Amino acid sequence: MTDRAACEALDRADPLRSTRDLFALPEGVIYLDGNSLGAMPAHVPDRLATVTTEWGRDLITSWNQHGWMELPYRVGDRIARIIGAAPGTVVAADSTSVNLFKVVSAALNLTDRKVALSDSGNFPTDLYVMSAISDLRIADPEEIVEAIDNDVGVVAITHVGYDTGRMHDMTAITAAAHAAGAVVVWDLAHSAGAMALDLGDADFAVGCGYKYLNGGPGAPAFVYIHPDRMESFRNPITGWFAHEAPFDFAQEFVPAEGISRARVGTPHVLSLAALDSALEVFDGVDMATVRAKSLALTELFMELVDDSGLGLRIVTPREPARRGSQVCLSHPDGYAIVQALIERQVIGDFRAPDILRFGFAPLYVSYVDTYDAVAALVEVIRSEEYTDPRYSTRQPVT
Amino acid sequence: MTDRAACEALDRADPLRSTRDLFALPEGVIYLDGNSLGAMPAHVPDRLATVTTEWGRDLITSWNQHGWMELPYRVGDRIARIIGAAPGTVVAADSTSVNLFKVVSAALNLTDRKVALSDSGNFPTDLYVMSAISDLRIADPEEIVEAIDNDVGVVAITHVGYDTGRMHDMTAITAAAHAAGAVVVWDLAHSAGAMALDLGDADFAVGCGYKYLNGGPGAPAFVYIHPDRMESFRNPITGWFAHEAPFDFAQEFVPAEGISRARVGTPHVLSLAALDSALEVFDGVDMATVRAKSLALTELFMELVDDSGLGLRIVTPREPARRGSQVCLSHPDGYAIVQALIERQVIGDFRAPDILRFGFAPLYVSYVDTYDAVAALVEVIRSEEYTDPRYSTRQPVT
């Protein structure tokens, strides 16, 4: 069994040990909820102060003078590197839900089939968006490939499930979908920033700016378009920033060449600048190293939970190739246990009906954090402190 | 002819003279582009610093602890008061273009007609969005009422035109549309924050957070739904924040009661907090007073331009009831003239092909500003300094 001293040694040897210092994490907090809202890179407030100075002083001229016009592409290219995509194939815009609407609509537009396939482990917003614009079929997460038949026009799956942390085989599902003549959309909400990715032949992807990318609450999301799909991509929301020449104010819509066509309206500059700034923590970081540490942390967490003898059920797949960067436990009193842990400054979250989620952001979570988190979990359960009624009052969190 | 001393007297008597001090306008700048990007209320940076402190320190718990969850409604209700709508009928979300897509789609969904009617003076993004989802007819701005026939399902018009500042008769157009069985959508991008409004029987409206509402570059936009249309409103983008219980993570989409159904994804908290903070400058401000000053400023500007003897063509309607809060001139060298004015710290903007736009935000533009702006315009033209080649190099601005 790994002890705390061993974890300290692992931290000393961690090639990512210095990135934690780039974050403004409060002393004493063990933050295992970066899969919901990433921690704040310490320099983000300075960047926001810079942007408000620009706005206040240089007003409308800031759009050109301070590069605001370029931000969606600049952030897009930063994210492209992190998700293993080519420059010019990613743009930051809107929310993940709006972006999913765009790309699933565009994907359906590429086929004459009406059926979209997803899985029951997908995040509800994805299912909601798809159900309104397609004949949605929902397969079991383990049976996606089997469920792809020749009626399926679009396969849209979240790569790492929000509920269990299971990770799908992107290459296999993309290949199966293409073999059946379907277009593939990946939602990278729980992948981007937590691992190396190989999008391969995937047609489209979307993802979230506020989880492992640490862009701040409700940070702008992103869209990826495979270079071969760029020309045929039809954005259903034809806003002016998707126009080839928005400042010509022409009456007729002509889609821009390239990734601009995935945009819609004026970018949310304050939020986007925060995301741009936040992404600097990835500068020079090798995503394979991130993935290796992520797997080591989640492995350690599961080992310690197993060894605790509490008999907690781990619902996240054990095989490295099948899990993302979180570990989920299932417990009927999950909500109260999470609240009691938060009281002890170990922050995870709860997802109905009975899931305790612990996310491991390799840039700021340490081996010792992981050790201490399990120790706190064991104490909360063994002492039954979670049964205190104050831990049962529900509040929504995102 | 009004002289500068008279303008000074008007400023001293201005009931809005104190709101200017709430803005961080640079010394010496005359800012007549608040119709493109509103000036910064001076306290916004402090609010952003507060939000990043919340994020950094309280992390995910901030959503409940610091009211982030409520922000879209809180901002919506602030805007509701400004646009004369009832509490609970407005929500802040997404961009104006995305919101227009939602409400025009919802409006079309309420009729079995496919035709949407707009006018050639509408902002291009509105026309682009509508053309993709309807059989779009584009009427002359002066002939909208005549163009409403029984084929028209939706009439969607921008209340104040971006190009000329012309203002449509909202009551008359709404009545004509309803008489013909059509649903009405108003885009209030150039109205909200510049005047008192009476939405009356209008079915839906959208508007912009970054013009006269001063919410910052790319601030979140808003959606208004008439109380009688709330129940039948169908958002085409069925994201989780439009669900009646997003945190139940149910697989089936059930739209929320009330204005929540106009939302989609996770709100852009940083941008939204800036907008919330910015809207404080409207606290206690009577919108009828704002409108009265706006009309006085635009009237003064036109009078001084007329009196200059330069023969500049004013394309904004002269009648108060037919103009918004901007004055547009037309000049073949409009672009260069605007650039030369910016060099003199008089900031307006240019819209292709030949429009010089000057916006008058009554909360921070004074009568003396207006006087000095025309004086600068006269000098720039009379001296021909605008013909300097450096003023002809085009750069896009929004």
Side-chain angles (χ1 to χ4, degrees), chain A residues 214-395:
Chain A
N214 312 305
F222 65 87
V223 178
Y224 161 81
I225 303 179
H226 189 286
D228 293 348
R229 289 299 194 186
M230 204 65 88
E231 200 176 325
S232 56
F233 177 85
R234 290 287 169 274
N235 189 336
I237 316 177
T238 46
W240 66 320
F241 275 104
H243 193 283
E244 69 167 359
F247 292 94
D248 283 358
F249 302 102
Q251 283 199 358
E252 196 185 343
F253 182 75
V254 181
E257 296 295 317
I259 195 65
S260 298
R261 58 177 57 194
R263 298 179 63 189
V264 181
T266 308
H268 306 296
V269 171
L270 297 172
S271 288
L272 200 48
L275 173 57
D276 182 46
S277 171
L279 290 171
E280 289 173 16
V281 301
F282 285 94
D283 286 352
V285 169
D286 172 36
M287 295 311 295
T289 306
V290 171
R291 174 65 170 162
K293 182 177 173 188
S294 161
L295 286 175
L297 292 173
T298 49
E299 176 69 34
L300 173 63
F301 187 86
M302 293 191 290
E303 174 204 321
L304 293 169
V305 166
D306 284 342
D307 291 346
S308 71
L310 288 173
L312 282 163
R313 193 161 81 85
I314 295 173
V315 298
T316 302
R318 302 279 175 154
E319 307 91 299
R322 295 189 58 235
R323 73 171 187 270
S325 201
Q326 71 186 49
V327 177
C328 295
L329 312 178
S330 137
H331 191 288
D333 294 312
Y335 182 83
I337 293 170
V338 166
Q339 296 308 308
L341 281 171
I342 290 173
E343 185 68 27
R344 284 172 172 265
Q345 305 215 67
V346 177
I347 303 177
D349 68 19
F350 172 78
R351 284 294 178 259
D354 60 358
I355 299 290
L356 297 83
R357 298 199 309 177
F358 300 96
F360 295 83
L363 265 49
Y364 54 77
V365 174
S366 70
Y367 293 91
V368 166
D369 284 343
T370 306
Y371 185 90
D372 291 347
V374 178
L377 177 67
V378 169
E379 277 189 47
V380 159
I381 294 178
R382 205 161 270 163
S383 69
E384 296 189 356
E385 74 187 50
Y386 71 89
T387 60
D388 187 314
R390 74 192 161 117
Y391 296 133
S392 307
T393 313
R394 300 253 175 149
Q395 286 194 311

Side-chain angles (χ1 to χ4, degrees), chain A residues 64 128 218 238 247 250 268 396-397, chain B residues 64 128 210 218 238 247 250 268 396-397:
Chain A
N64 295 311
Y128 302 158
T238 46
F247 292 94
H268 306 296
V397 289
Chain B
N64 295 310
Y128 303 158
Y210 57 78
T238 46
F247 292 95
H268 306 296
V397 287

Side-chain angles (χ1 to χ4, degrees), chain A residues 101-143:
Chain A
F101 178 84
K102 295 176 199 167
V103 300
V104 172
S105 298
L108 285 163
N109 189 249
L110 289 171
T111 116
D112 52 6
R113 306 176 188 175
K114 302 271 178 259
V115 175
L117 175 72
S118 192
D119 74 280
S120 58
N122 203 346
F123 190 67
T125 206
D126 295 40
L127 300 178
Y128 302 158
V129 165
M130 294 167 74
S131 68
I133 57 177
S134 70
D135 295 340
L136 177 62
R137 282 190 202 162
I138 300 176
D140 184 276
E142 307 305 325
E143 291 166 7

Side-chain angles (χ1 to χ4, degrees), chain B residues 132-188:
Chain B
I133 57 176
S134 69
D135 295 341
L136 178 62
R137 283 191 202 160
I138 299 176
D140 184 277
E142 307 305 325
E143 291 165 7
I144 293 169
V145 168
E146 294 73 13
I148 301 172
D149 62 25
N150 291 331
D151 291 333
V152 174
V154 175
V155 178
I157 308 281
T158 296
H159 180 226
V160 174
Y162 84 104
D163 56 344
T164 65
R166 101 173 53 73
M167 186 166 87
H168 290 295
D169 184 336
M170 189 180 281
T171 306
I173 291 175
T174 297
H178 283 174
V183 182
V184 182
V185 173
W186 288 100
D187 181 341
L188 306 175

Side-chain angles (χ1 to χ4, degrees), chain A residues 24-26 29 31 33 36-41 44-45 48-49 51-53 55-65 68-69 93-95 97-98 101-102 119-121 123-125 127-133 138 162 210 214-221 235-241 243 245-254 264-272 274-275 278 342 347-352 395-398, chain B residues 24-26 29 31 33 36-41 44-45 48-49 51-53 55-65 68-69 93-95 97-98 101-102 119-121 123-125 127-133 138 162 210 214-221 235-241 243 245-254 264-272 274-275 278 342 347-352 395-398:
Chain A
L25 279 164
V29 166
Y31 193 56
D33 210 9
S36 187
L37 173 65
M40 184 175 76
V44 169
L48 280 170
V51 177
T52 52
T53 298
W55 170 23
R57 186 188 60 210
D58 299 321
L59 298 153
I60 188 70
T61 64
S62 300
W63 280 100
N64 295 311
Q65 199 174 331
W68 295 355
M69 288 300 258
D94 301 308
S95 65
S97 301
V98 168
F101 178 84
K102 295 176 199 167
D119 74 280
S120 58
F123 190 67
T125 206
L127 300 178
Y128 302 158
V129 165
M130 294 167 74
S131 68
I133 57 177
I138 300 176
Y162 83 104
Y210 57 77
N214 312 305
N235 189 336
I237 316 177
T238 46
W240 66 320
F241 275 104
H243 193 283
F247 292 94
D248 283 358
F249 302 102
Q251 283 199 358
E252 196 185 343
F253 182 75
V254 181
V264 181
T266 308
H268 306 296
V269 171
L270 297 172
S271 288
L272 200 48
L275 173 57
I342 290 173
I347 303 177
D349 68 19
F350 172 78
R351 284 294 178 259
Q395 286 194 311
V397 289
T398 183
Chain B
L25 279 163
V29 166
Y31 192 56
D33 210 9
S36 187
L37 174 65
M40 185 174 74
V44 169
L48 281 169
V51 177
T52 51
T53 298
W55 169 23
R57 185 189 60 210
D58 299 320
L59 298 152
I60 188 69
T61 65
S62 299
W63 280 100
N64 295 310
Q65 198 175 334
W68 294 356
M69 288 300 264
D94 302 307
S95 66
S97 301
V98 169
F101 178 84
K102 295 176 201 168
D119 74 281
S120 58
F123 191 66
T125 204
L127 300 178
Y128 303 158
V129 164
M130 293 167 74
S131 68
I133 57 176
I138 299 176
Y162 84 104
Y210 57 78
N214 311 305
N235 190 334
I237 316 176
T238 46
W240 65 318
F241 275 104
H243 193 282
F247 292 95
D248 283 359
F249 301 103
Q251 283 200 356
E252 194 184 344
F253 182 74
V254 181
V264 181
T266 307
H268 306 296
V269 170
L270 297 172
S271 288
L272 200 49
L275 174 56
I342 290 173
I347 303 177
D349 68 19
F350 172 78
R351 285 294 177 259
Q395 286 194 312
V397 287
T398 180

Side-chain angles (χ1 to χ4, degrees), chain B residues 268-317:
Chain B
H268 306 296
V269 170
L270 297 172
S271 288
L272 200 49
L275 174 56
D276 182 46
S277 172
L279 291 171
E280 289 173 15
V281 300
F282 285 95
D283 287 352
V285 169
D286 173 37
M287 296 309 296
T289 306
V290 171
R291 174 65 170 161
K293 182 177 174 188
S294 161
L295 286 174
L297 293 172
T298 50
E299 176 68 35
L300 172 65
F301 186 87
M302 293 192 290
E303 175 203 322
L304 294 168
V305 166
D306 284 342
D307 290 347
S308 72
L310 288 173
L312 281 163
R313 192 160 80 86
I314 295 173
V315 297
T316 302

